[in-house]
Amino acid sequence: MKKFLLVVLILASFLMLAYQFQPVKKAVQTVAAVVETPSLVNKDSLTISTRVNVPYGYNRVDYAKGSFEEYLRNYKLKPFGSKIINYDNTNYFWQGGHIGILEIPVPKNGLQQCADALIRIRSEYLWDHNRKDEIGFEFTSGHYCSWSKYAEGYRPKINGNKVTFHKSATANHSKDNFYYYLNLIYMYSGTLSLYNELELIGAKDLQLGDMLIKGGSPGHIVMICDEVVNENGDKLFLLFQGNTPAQSVHLVKNLEDNTISPWYRLNDDAVIPVSNYTFGSSKFVRLK
């Protein structure tokens, strides 16, 4: 009888130990899963394509060397952890929505806001690739203002919605004058003019360099700066944005889906939260 009681006692002790260690085992498995899941962000990398890893099962979409798409994908970033800085050199009030700051100066005049930052990136690409005659944008009034005419000395005379251009300055094709031209575009163009000027496209046709836009005053706009696809044809995208007030252009997190962040799934007419702004009904445009 004593031996029987002893055996029962030993078995009961083993059962209690097994029960007590069950949560520990689950905790260890949870920690192991976190450790083994590869991060999608490389904190020591200084370009968009090297800062962000490709999710499992996806591959980056190929684009031609020297193209605008490759230019965006390889855009330089500041060191990881850099803050979003406003045009007046103060820190933006919220620093929780980005994983990278693009190497683009923020002018102290406060003009380079959300649409303007993307206009600058496109214009600098065209300048750097000897395609200066393609630089030009419509004002909100619908009047087209090209860098070529500005460089030759033509300036707009604006009277309400009526705009005429007159040669009132000496020709100047310098880089400094190019930035004066961009300041003019920043003043008279924006999300509304881009929405009206550019081609609307569907989400299924999106490619690197296209933009998610809400035209208006105020509106908002972000640009696709990288693109990956899986064997089923499903695509994911990276986005960057400027903002109002004028501030550092930054690569945004996906705050709605941390399983793929900073990558985004983009769909027509979907509600898409982007950092500190929500597109209520998404529309997309493509640069000319």
Side-chain angles (χ1 to χ4, degrees):
M1 185 68 179
K2 289 182 178 179
K3 287 183 179 180
F4 176 75
L5 290 173
L6 182 61
V7 170
V8 170
L9 187 61
I10 291 171
L11 286 172
S13 299
F14 274 118
L15 287 171
M16 289 180 65
L17 284 170
Y19 178 79
Q20 288 174 347
F21 277 100
Q22 216 174 11
V24 175
K25 182 180 178 182
K26 287 182 180 178
V28 170
Q29 289 174 338
T30 301
V31 171
V34 171
V35 171
E36 290 166 8
T37 301
S39 172
L40 292 176
V41 178
N42 294 316
K43 296 182 179 181
D44 58 347
S45 296
L46 296 176
T47 66
I48 289 173
S49 63
T50 58
R51 174 68 55 87
V52 185
N53 292 327
V54 176
Y56 178 78
Y58 287 81
N59 292 290
R60 280 190 161 92
V61 176
D62 290 330
Y63 285 99
K65 186 175 181 181
S67 64
F68 183 54
E69 293 84 359
E70 279 297 294
Y71 177 82
L72 293 174
R73 173 178 281 163
N74 293 297
Y75 213 98
K76 292 183 179 178
L77 300 175
K78 295 181 181 295
F80 187 84
S82 297
K83 294 183 177 182
I84 298 172
I85 305 299
N86 296 321
Y87 71 95
D88 59 0
N89 210 35
T90 59
N91 289 345
Y92 186 55
F93 76 94
W94 188 58
Q95 301 288 336
H98 70 283
I99 60 140
I101 303 294
L102 278 66
E103 284 281 8
I104 305 172
V106 184
K108 304 302 181 186
N109 59 20
L111 292 177
Q112 188 177 285
Q113 299 180 6
C114 61
D116 310 322
L118 307 188
I119 286 171
R120 175 175 181 169
I121 289 169
R122 174 63 174 176
S123 299
E124 288 184 329
Y125 165 78
L126 294 173
W127 179 282
D128 293 342
H129 287 77
N130 199 28
R131 294 167 56 183
K132 300 180 182 69
D133 59 339
E134 297 178 42
I135 300 172
F137 300 90
E138 289 184 4
F139 293 161
T140 302
S141 63
H143 297 85
Y144 183 75
C145 181
S146 71
W147 157 246
S148 296
K149 297 298 286 184
Y150 187 93
E152 291 170 8
Y154 288 86
R155 299 292 183 269
K157 183 177 180 181
I158 299 171
N159 183 11
N161 288 327
K162 185 179 180 182
V163 180
T164 55
F165 290 87
H166 306 271
K167 185 171 174 56
S168 57
T170 56
N172 183 346
H173 296 265
S174 70
K175 192 71 174 284
D176 285 343
N177 201 39
F178 167 65
Y179 286 113
Y180 284 121
Y181 162 78
L182 288 181
N183 282 335
L184 176 69
I185 296 298
Y186 300 161
M187 284 192 291
Y188 295 108
S189 302
T191 57
L192 186 57
S193 64
L194 289 177
Y195 184 84
N196 291 331
E197 175 185 2
L198 300 180
E199 175 190 4
L200 277 172
I201 57 170
K204 67 181 180 60
D205 299 317
L206 284 173
Q207 62 187 37
L208 215 156
D210 293 337
M211 297 177 288
L212 170 59
I213 189 169
K214 168 65 176 177
S217 300
H220 195 52
I221 189 168
V222 299
M223 180 173 277
I224 296 173
C225 58
D226 208 349
E227 175 188 4
V228 294
V229 64
N230 66 15
E231 62 181 10
N232 297 322
D234 302 317
K235 291 186 176 184
L236 300 174
F237 303 93
L238 294 181
L239 306 171
F240 63 55
Q241 66 175 9
N243 212 342
T244 304
Q247 60 187 226
S248 309
V249 182
H250 50 281
L251 187 62
V252 298
K253 293 178 182 177
N254 182 341
L255 298 174
E256 292 293 300
D257 190 347
N258 59 13
T259 64
I260 59 170
S261 182
W263 297 95
Y264 278 80
R265 293 184 178 90
L266 300 177
N267 297 298
D268 292 317
D269 300 314
V271 175
I272 301 177
V274 178
S275 187
N276 56 350
Y277 184 87
T278 297
F279 291 89
S281 178
S282 57
K283 304 294 180 185
F284 306 97
V285 292
R286 176 167 296 166
L287 291 161
K288 295 177 181 177

